Amino acid sequence: MRAPRYIVLRILRLNSSPHSIAVGVAAGAASSLTPFFGLHIVLAVLLASVFSGNLVAAAITTLVANPVTIPVILTASYEVGTMLTQPQGARVMGGQEIMRMVEHFDLASLWGPVFKPMLIGSLPLAAAGAMIFYPLAFQTARLFQERRRQVRSHKFGHPT
């Protein structure tokens, strides 16, 4: 529990507005919900800069994608993508079939049945992640900063 708490506090202590922090967190979370492993930080920083978010918050929040969550993210992206791209009743590939193709490094065969649905499925997941993380991060940063101001004003004898 120490590591996640440290990460959250590191983000909350950033010297930015609650909106900027929340945009950065939303960008980091959204990029983490894509199958672009190895590019999450780049994608998060690009998204945060386009929407005037905090770049450090964006980079830190990409830790949403980690060895524990990556299988869940990939599975969810694939499932959502197949629902959006496959006609009703079409055959969906099983995990063993996909693993066999991955083991043989047959990327051309994987594009249509695996990578394309995964990419398409990640888009609504990324959008949902951003819409969930933005308000949570905004309210948390706002409350944290208000509390911090109150503590400082009491500490130095200035009434709020």
Side-chain angles (χ1 to χ4, degrees):
M1 279 308 287
R2 282 178 58 129
R5 185 171 192 266
Y6 172 77
I7 292 168
V8 168
L9 286 174
R10 177 68 185 104
I11 292 170
L12 292 174
R13 288 183 181 134
L14 291 170
N15 191 16
S16 285
S17 70
H19 171 72
S20 178
I21 291 171
V23 169
V25 167
S31 71
S32 294
L33 295 171
T34 67
F36 301 120
F37 301 106
L39 298 174
H40 285 158
I41 291 176
V42 173
L43 183 58
V45 167
L46 285 172
L47 284 171
S49 64
V50 166
F51 294 104
S52 301
N54 186 288
L55 305 182
V56 174
I60 291 172
T61 309
T62 61
L63 293 172
V64 166
N66 59 63
V68 174
T69 61
I70 287 173
V72 175
I73 292 168
L74 290 176
T75 302
S77 295
Y78 178 72
E79 294 294 327
V80 170
T82 54
M83 287 188 326
L84 294 174
T85 62
Q86 302 291 327
Q88 197 69 3
R91 182 173 117 32
V92 177
M93 294 181 72
Q96 289 181 344
E97 266 183 287
I98 294 169
M99 284 309 296
R100 188 172 49 256
M101 289 176 153
V102 170
E103 287 171 357
H104 291 92
F105 208 64
D106 193 0
L107 296 179
S109 296
L110 284 168
W111 169 250
V114 179
F115 293 143
K116 184 179 175 185
M118 197 177 289
L119 178 61
I120 292 170
S122 72
L123 298 177
L125 293 177
M131 288 189 295
I132 291 167
F133 275 82
Y134 177 86
L136 292 173
F138 180 85
Q139 288 300 330
T140 304
R142 186 182 62 76
L143 293 170
F144 182 85
Q145 289 178 1
E146 283 178 11
R147 187 168 156 249
R148 201 172 187 186
R149 274 192 296 275
Q150 289 174 350
V151 167
R152 284 185 180 157
S153 67
H154 282 74
K155 190 175 193 179
F156 297 110
H158 301 111
T160 54

